[in-house]
Amino acid sequence: RSAALLRAPTVGDAYKLNTNGAGRVVSIAVKDRSALFLGGTSADLALWFELETGEFASTTCYAPGPPPWLPRHPAASFADWNWTLSRPDAIARLVPEDREPGAVPRYELGPTFPHKLVPGKHFFEAVRNSPASTILAVKVARAAAQALALGQSGKTDLLALAVSAVDGVGHQFGSLARERVDTVLRAHDELSSFLDELRGRLGPRLSIVLTADHGLTPMEADQKRLRVTQGGTESIDALIDKLNRALDEALGPRREGWVATIDGSTVTLRPPFPPRAVQLATDLLRREPGFWRVVPFNEIDQAEPAIRHAYHPGRSGQILLVPRPLWALKKANDGADHGSPWNDDALVPLMIQAPGFRLRRDAVFRATQIAPTIAALLDTPPPAAALDSPAIEHE
């Protein structure tokens, strides 16, 4: 694992280049891709929770071995942990149902509270996809900040911390579940404690940016329960089967099937395939009720920006799928999901606390403003491919 797949420099990379490496960049995350892509190739250290070992790990791209301050065997403290509601009365009032219809709990967590993390085959996955991973990621971030004396060298340091339990819990239990609410509140508690420690140590020299990468489409079962009738589900498994049968009939059967995968809202056909296969598949998908747009690769350049920016030539498949509002594209055994341009997915929090700065008085902020904003706080030019304006201005 490495950050080699990046095709543009990160904020950390730009900061390293613009200071001749003077400022330090450290990224810590639950997911490997979060740590690697937040830190960038030039980071001093990138750490993530490794599912195969239950340890926080890195790669020799950054360090020859685990730093001495890194907590070892961190997941062990959650063996047989009973995940209970952190605020039972408040959460029960907010979410009266003890189980969301359509939830698909995994990793032996069980359908309702309390959820027990059982040592065994799925233990590290249960840790990663529960509030335990937030607690562990903050623990490692705390250790890094102390051991590396971040913010105390006379140079500005960048610490990137990515917690993803809300995502993992939401996929299993749904957007309106007690589990998801509890996970958000526990993240609040952990981050508050850590940031209070940093404030006590760094005072007004500390700047904080908090945001997220996506939301979550409400589950179809909840929509029906609440009499919202506009949404639905497009099954990835059913679509692959339908596409393979239609292309077999039109172009001749293939033992391995025509469709390699439907992932990341794109359909990838198994090569080699004739151009007509893309058009036949596009025509079939455009008859599905759950798609707002179905765009083949040769029409991407003529599409609106939201569609163009969702497609990467050479990486994405041959057809881009854009679900209708409140529709989800997912596998049969998945719970809630994301991957649409609509507000359920696209609206995320942006919170900034930075002495001497304030948010601009704009009506709308964009995800593309995050990198320039962090660059402004680092007092450095933004990365080469970050072409938007910062979301902040001097007071």
Side-chain angles (χ1 to χ4, degrees):
R1 295 176 178 83
S2 75
L5 288 176
L6 283 170
R7 292 294 178 264
T10 66
V11 175
D13 292 333
Y15 187 48
K16 286 286 187 179
L17 286 170
N18 296 328
T19 63
N20 198 26
R24 288 171 297 178
V25 176
V26 177
S27 62
I28 295 164
V30 176
K31 297 179 179 178
D32 51 6
R33 60 181 178 270
S34 300
L36 292 163
F37 295 162
L38 278 173
T41 56
S42 66
D44 294 275
L45 188 61
L47 292 163
W48 62 86
F49 183 71
E50 181 56 62
L51 276 176
E52 293 181 5
T53 63
E55 302 280 357
F56 274 82
S58 189
T59 164
T60 51
C61 300
Y62 301 105
W69 50 262
L70 182 64
R72 306 299 293 168
H73 313 302
S77 60
F78 287 95
D80 294 318
W81 180 56
N82 274 321
W83 172 18
T84 58
L85 288 170
S86 58
R87 295 164 177 79
D89 294 339
I91 294 175
R93 286 196 300 271
L94 186 64
V95 185
E97 299 80 15
D98 64 352
R99 180 180 183 183
E100 186 172 3
V104 285
R106 298 171 177 168
Y107 320 121
E108 302 178 27
L109 285 174
T112 58
F113 280 105
H115 302 284
K116 190 170 186 177
L117 276 63
V118 181
K121 180 180 179 181
H122 300 291
F123 176 59
F124 295 147
E125 292 173 300
V127 169
R128 171 171 153 166
N129 292 282
S130 74
S133 65
T134 299
I135 297 170
L136 295 182
V138 172
K139 180 180 180 180
V140 172
R142 182 178 284 114
Q146 293 174 347
L148 301 176
L150 296 179
Q152 301 179 66
S153 66
K155 302 289 185 180
T156 303
D157 296 322
L158 173 62
L159 173 63
L161 173 60
V163 295
S164 55
V166 175
D167 178 70
V169 169
H171 279 298
Q172 296 176 78
F173 295 97
S175 53
L176 299 179
R178 288 182 176 183
E179 287 82 0
R180 189 166 184 247
V181 174
D182 185 72
T183 303
V184 171
L185 293 174
R186 287 178 180 270
H188 169 273
D189 294 343
E190 291 296 319
L191 291 173
S192 294
S193 175
F194 178 46
L195 292 176
D196 283 345
E197 293 173 19
L198 293 180
R199 290 188 186 101
R201 197 151 62 237
L202 302 176
R205 292 182 291 123
L206 176 68
S207 294
I208 302 161
V209 177
L210 175 67
T211 189
D213 54 350
H214 60 73
L216 196 68
T217 299
M219 293 176 70
E220 185 178 2
D222 280 322
Q223 297 179 43
K224 290 179 178 178
R225 178 172 60 84
L226 298 171
R227 295 186 296 166
V228 178
T229 59
Q230 294 90 343
T233 299
E234 286 283 359
S235 167
I236 289 177
D237 302 315
L239 286 176
I240 290 176
D241 182 62
K242 189 179 293 187
L243 286 168
N244 279 329
R245 284 189 282 107
L247 292 174
D248 278 349
E249 183 177 334
L251 302 174
R254 298 178 99 182
R255 185 197 305 179
E256 69 277 20
W258 288 88
V259 180
T261 183
I262 297 180
D263 185 51
S265 296
T266 63
V267 179
T268 301
L269 299 180
R270 186 173 280 108
F273 55 84
R276 185 165 174 246
V278 176
Q279 191 57 55
L280 288 169
T282 299
D283 292 342
L284 185 151
L285 291 164
R286 283 174 173 168
R287 295 194 291 271
E288 289 293 318
F291 296 126
W292 175 63
R293 295 286 299 278
V294 176
V295 189
F297 69 95
N298 58 350
E299 297 179 14
I300 293 290
D301 288 344
Q302 290 76 49
E304 50 266 63
I307 289 177
R308 293 201 310 272
H309 296 162
Y311 186 87
H312 193 295
R315 286 194 185 178
S316 301
Q318 287 74 44
I319 305 170
L320 179 66
L321 306 175
V322 185
R324 293 186 185 277
L326 296 181
W327 279 78
L329 173 65
K330 62 184 184 179
K331 291 182 181 269
N333 294 323
D334 286 346
D337 212 344
H338 50 84
S340 82
W342 312 111
N343 287 342
D344 317 280
D345 274 358
L347 294 184
V348 297
L350 173 61
M351 303 170 68
I352 298 175
Q353 185 180 62
F357 289 90
R358 66 187 177 196
L359 282 171
R360 293 184 183 273
R361 303 184 188 280
D362 296 341
V364 176
F365 294 107
R366 298 169 296 280
T368 47
Q369 292 180 277
I370 300 301
T373 296
I374 297 174
L377 296 177
L378 293 169
D379 195 25
T380 192
L387 303 179
D388 212 331
S389 59
I392 56 174
E393 61 188 3
H394 287 284
E395 289 182 331

